[in-house]
Amino acid sequence: RQPNESTWKEQRRQWCDLVLAYYRHNRLFSMSLAEAVTEPPFANRQLRRALRVDVLREIVDELVKQGNAVWVGAKNTKDTCLVFWRKPEVWASMIHQWASERGLFNSVLTVFELANGDDTVGQEFHGLDAATLRRALDVLQSQGKAQLFVGTSDEDLGVKLFA
């Protein structure tokens, strides 16, 4: 970690940009800090250098402040997070637009269908992880554009989309 605060602020901004670009390029959605610091982009085996977990935690804290990540797991541990290279509000808008274009309002769909169904192949949200998809659906529900139907698991979760 850079000891000069203004330099660290700029480095942290660049790290945030890199994390979002890397996770978007590789379509990654969650990060275990302990594992992340052993792999690119946080470790370079040729140089035998790696970012320390405490420094990565500061970077993720900044992503959380920006709304591009949330801490998950055991309370106050800050060991695992979801990385939002697209915010849940953006995913929600894409899903709603897709449903509108296909005339699927008032139809019940499962989370599995949305994330992995044949009808979503080619959509950016195809293959979206369940936790991020759930957050997007929660956004739609809070906007009055969806109703969620709880199943026995997140994959059994149903959703009805509205105009």
Side-chain angles (χ1 to χ4, degrees):
R1 182 187 189 283
Q2 172 60 242
N4 180 295
E5 197 55 41
S6 63
T7 303
W8 169 236
K9 183 178 179 181
E10 177 58 22
Q11 282 183 339
R12 192 174 56 224
R13 184 194 64 74
Q14 290 179 8
W15 269 111
C16 288
D17 291 347
L18 177 65
V19 168
L20 294 175
Y22 183 85
Y23 272 62
R24 180 181 187 150
H25 177 76
N26 292 288
R27 290 192 60 85
L28 301 172
F29 301 99
S30 66
M31 177 194 304
S32 161
L33 274 60
E35 291 175 21
V37 295
T38 66
E39 300 293 330
F42 308 110
N44 185 322
R45 289 189 177 107
Q46 290 177 324
L47 298 177
R48 295 183 183 174
R49 301 227 19 214
L51 200 63
R52 294 190 330 256
V53 171
D54 63 312
V55 176
L56 181 54
R57 192 170 286 119
E58 286 187 59
I59 293 164
V60 173
D61 277 336
E62 184 64 28
L63 287 169
V64 169
K65 285 180 192 171
Q66 297 170 5
N68 290 107
V70 292
W71 292 110
V72 295
K75 191 174 183 178
N76 299 322
T77 59
K78 292 188 174 185
D79 293 327
T80 306
C81 68
L82 293 176
V83 176
F84 301 134
W85 40 271
R86 274 213 175 93
K87 293 182 180 179
E89 296 81 7
V90 175
W91 289 118
S93 178
M94 294 169 79
I95 291 165
H96 194 264
Q97 180 67 33
W98 169 81
S100 174
E101 290 169 359
R102 283 166 183 68
L104 293 174
F105 289 147
N106 297 313
S107 299
V108 177
L109 303 166
T110 65
V111 168
F112 182 84
E113 286 176 302
L114 279 174
N116 303 300
D118 293 340
D119 291 342
T120 63
V121 171
Q123 298 298 314
E124 292 227 28
F125 58 86
H126 185 82
L128 191 61
D129 78 311
T132 304
L133 180 55
R134 175 62 190 259
R135 288 176 184 268
L137 295 175
D138 287 343
V139 168
L140 288 171
Q141 182 167 283
S142 72
Q143 295 171 342
K145 295 179 179 179
Q147 180 181 359
L148 300 178
F149 302 97
V150 180
T152 56
S153 70
D154 268 354
E155 285 192 358
D156 291 339
L157 183 70
V159 61
K160 186 183 224 181
L161 298 166
F162 308 110

